[in-house]
Amino acid sequence: AEVQNSTAVFQLNFSNKTSFCASITRPNAKPRNVVRYINRKTAERKNMKNTLFELYSKKANEFEDVKTQVKSGKTYGPFLMSPNSEYSKQNNKLLIIGQETKGWENYKDITKQMAVYEGFNLGINYYSSPFWNVMRKVERALKNKEYSSAWTNISKFDVDRKRPTGENEKIISKLDNLLIEELEITKPKICIFFTSHTFDHRIKKIFSEIEFVSVPGFEKKVLCKLKHKDLPNETYRTYHPRYLRTGKMENKFIEFIKTIYNYIAQQKFGK
C-alpha cells in the first residue's frame, strides 16, 4: 500500500520478543536499517553457501571413493548442506545433527547435490515423521521461525536406505570430520545431536577430548551436554526423536529446550 503521510514508522519483532522501530520522512521509502539488515543476512547466506560449496568440492574425490569402496549395498549420498535464507536471520541459530539419511539423491555434481538439500528444505513437503515433527517443536521452543534450522548428519552416506554397519560404517566414517568444518561455516548458536548414545564413539573420534556432561533430571544416555572448543556452548546429545516419542520422553525434552531459550534470553538482557 502507498504511504499517504510524510512519516512512516516500521517495527520489526524478533523471536526474542525485542523490537525496534525505524522512521523515515520520505513517502514510499523503505527504512534504511531494514534494508541493511536484509542485505546483510542475504550476503551471509550467500557466503555460507559458497564456502560450503568450496568445502564439498575439495572432498569430491573422497565422496566418489566411498561409493566405490562400499561393496555390499547401494550408497545414497553424499548428504551436503545448503541452509535456507531463514537460518541466518534467527537469533538462536539451530543446527540439528542426525545419524544418516534414509535414501538420498546421488549426483556427482556438487551444485546439484546441494540443490537436493535446498529442494527438500527441512521436510517442508515431507510427511510429519517424528524427526521433523520434533524439530518443528524445538524451533518453536526456541522462538525460531519454523523451517529455519540447519541440518546435517554424521554419516554422509547411507547404505540401502539404512545405517551403514561393519566395514561400510568404517569406510563412510572417514568423512565424519567434515562436521567440524560445517560447524565452522554455519556458526550455530545451539546444536542438538539426535544421534543417541550409539553414535558416541564416532562423536568422540570427531571431537578429541570431548566431555559428555550430565543434565539434571535426565539419564546421561537420554540427554547430556557436549563440551568442546569446536561446539557451541549450548550443545546437547539425545535420542532420535522417534525414540524420544515412543519412550514418552518427548514432552520433557521440549520443556528442557524451553529452559535453554530462557537461559539465553537472561544472559542477553541481564535479567
Side-chain angles (χ1 to χ4, degrees), residues 5-263:
N5 56 9
S6 61
T7 301
V9 178
F10 295 77
Q11 182 171 354
L12 291 183
N13 294 307
F14 293 92
S15 59
N16 62 4
K17 297 183 181 179
T18 63
S19 62
F20 69 88
C21 294
S23 63
I24 51 176
T25 56
R26 294 177 293 111
N28 302 316
K30 294 181 179 179
R32 292 178 183 176
N33 52 353
V34 175
V35 174
R36 291 192 188 112
Y37 174 83
I38 293 171
N39 289 343
R40 186 177 75 252
K41 294 303 179 182
T42 300
E44 285 178 10
R45 197 262 171 179
K46 184 176 181 181
N47 181 61
M48 183 188 305
K49 181 177 179 179
N50 289 342
T51 309
L52 285 167
F53 174 81
E54 291 172 3
L55 168 65
Y56 297 142
S57 295
K58 291 177 183 177
K59 299 289 184 179
N61 290 337
E62 294 179 48
F63 296 148
E64 294 306 306
D65 288 344
V66 166
K67 295 177 187 178
T68 58
Q69 290 170 17
V70 171
K71 300 299 182 183
S72 56
K74 181 179 178 180
T75 58
Y76 291 85
F79 180 77
L80 308 181
M81 298 178 71
S82 186
N84 63 33
S85 59
E86 293 300 327
Y87 174 72
S88 295
K89 299 176 185 177
Q90 307 309 304
N91 289 331
N92 297 319
K93 290 196 288 289
L94 170 67
L95 174 62
I96 297 293
I97 301 165
Q99 299 172 344
E100 69 283 316
T101 50
K102 191 178 180 181
W104 201 247
E105 294 294 344
N106 200 11
Y107 295 115
K108 184 176 181 179
D109 182 89
I110 298 299
T111 299
K112 287 184 178 180
Q113 195 66 6
M114 291 176 70
V116 175
Y117 183 106
E118 294 166 8
F120 188 74
N121 196 21
L122 302 171
I124 195 166
N125 293 316
Y126 196 67
Y127 82 99
S128 186
S129 68
F131 186 91
W132 300 110
N133 184 260
V134 171
M135 187 187 290
R136 300 288 85 81
K137 290 181 179 180
V138 171
E139 288 169 336
R140 291 194 293 269
L142 292 172
K143 311 298 184 185
N144 285 356
K145 187 173 181 179
E146 291 189 0
Y147 303 98
S148 67
S149 303
W151 163 48
T152 191
N153 288 324
I154 290 181
S155 289
K156 294 305 177 188
F157 291 86
D158 70 70
V159 178
D160 291 334
R161 302 179 186 274
K162 294 181 290 187
R163 176 179 175 178
T165 58
E167 192 61 31
N168 285 343
E169 182 179 19
K170 291 180 182 179
I171 293 167
I172 291 169
S173 67
K174 293 176 183 177
L175 296 169
D176 285 0
N177 280 345
L178 268 174
L179 178 58
I180 294 177
E181 294 178 85
E182 289 175 331
L183 282 159
E184 184 178 346
I185 293 167
T186 56
K187 295 178 172 56
K189 190 166 187 176
I190 301 163
C191 280
I192 298 175
F193 284 73
F194 280 135
T195 52
S196 89
H197 61 283
T198 59
F199 265 72
D200 284 356
H201 67 290
R202 287 174 67 175
I203 293 173
K204 290 175 182 177
K205 287 182 179 179
I206 298 169
F207 304 100
S208 177
E209 300 182 0
I210 191 170
E211 295 181 61
F212 292 74
V213 181
S214 297
V215 173
F218 292 87
E219 293 182 46
K220 187 177 286 189
K221 69 177 183 178
V222 176
L223 178 70
C224 64
K225 185 169 187 174
L226 304 184
K227 297 182 70 174
H228 190 271
K229 63 182 179 61
D230 293 324
L231 291 168
N233 185 56
E234 301 302 328
T235 298
Y236 300 87
R237 189 270 293 137
T238 188
Y239 284 128
H240 186 283
R242 181 178 60 254
Y243 193 74
L244 284 175
R245 179 162 294 177
T246 59
K248 301 186 184 303
M249 295 172 281
E250 179 181 339
N251 291 340
K252 185 178 180 181
F253 171 72
I254 296 300
E255 289 303 311
F256 173 75
I257 296 299
K258 292 178 181 178
T259 69
I260 296 175
Y261 170 79
N262 291 334
Y263 173 76

